Amino acid sequence: MKHHINFTVNGDDYSLAVDPWRTLNELLREDLNLTGTKLGCGTGDCGACTVMVDGRTVSSCLTLAVSINGKSVTTVEGLAPSGEELHPIQEAFIKTGAIQCGFCTAGMELSALHLLNNNPEPTEKEIRSGLSGNLCRCTGYNQIVEAISVAAEQIRDSEPEKEER
Ligand code: FES
Ligand code: FES
């Protein structure tokens, strides 16, 4: 029997009936056509499916769709809602060459967003720790770490009034 759930994704409200076994990853990719979120291992190991739910990162492959009832989901599409102006994290990934095949990128960027929301000035060690749930088979990680450091600096520079408080 399907369950009726209400939730938001990237600020948009949804009200859907979903099967109880359906994952959040399936809901996003197949029902909402938000295919920026990837499906890699399907077992919680690679981080390619990472999204934020109520401000916390989760593996969408291991999260049941029914569990997001009443919650707010952020996917990579929410980083650049206009589709034109990219988020500073995305700009930094491009600038530093942190994207090769791109399969890990959405998950990496959501983990980076969570990290920078909670720690605007992370050390390299803290960045590496923040990415510990995300695997990349292409870049060797150094460019990704650099990208997040560059993004952190840019975000801090663009919000000087916060630093003064
Ligand atoms: S696809 Fe979810 S952690 Fe790999
Ligand atoms: S860029 Fe290919 S897996 Fe990370």
Side-chain angles (χ1 to χ4, degrees), residues 64-145:
L64 287 174
V66 290
S67 74
I68 65 160
N69 186 33
K71 297 186 177 174
S72 173
V73 180
T74 304
T75 70
V76 70
E77 288 88 352
L79 293 185
S82 73
E84 293 172 10
E85 191 174 339
L86 296 179
H87 188 280
I89 292 172
Q90 296 172 308
E91 294 280 10
F93 267 64
I94 294 169
K95 187 175 169 187
T96 60
I99 302 170
Q100 287 188 26
C101 81
F103 199 81
C104 70
T105 305
M108 286 283 184
E109 291 181 345
L110 267 295
S111 290
L113 180 66
H114 178 261
L115 172 68
L116 298 184
N117 281 348
N118 292 285
N119 180 2
E121 199 165 354
T123 63
E124 180 182 336
K125 194 174 172 189
E126 288 167 337
I127 293 172
R128 289 187 185 274
S129 173
L131 298 180
S132 59
N134 295 79
L135 302 181
C136 176
R137 63 192 170 184
C138 305
T139 64
Y141 298 98
N142 288 340
Q143 296 98 322
I144 294 173
V145 172

Side-chain angles (χ1 to χ4, degrees), residues 46 98 149 158 162:
C46 75
S149 182
S158 67
K162 274 192 182 170

Side-chain angles (χ1 to χ4, degrees), residues 87-88 116-117 120 152-165:
H87 188 280
L116 298 184
N117 281 348
E153 193 175 347
Q154 190 181 337
I155 292 168
R156 291 197 305 273
D157 288 350
S158 67
E159 296 177 341
E161 69 280 1
K162 274 192 182 170
E163 292 177 3
E164 287 161 15
R165 273 179 219 153

Side-chain angles (χ1 to χ4, degrees), residues 25 38-50 59-62 103 133:
N25 190 274
K38 301 305 182 209
L39 178 63
C41 63
T43 53
D45 296 309
C46 75
C49 67
T50 303
S59 297
S60 63
C61 71
L62 295 184
F103 199 81

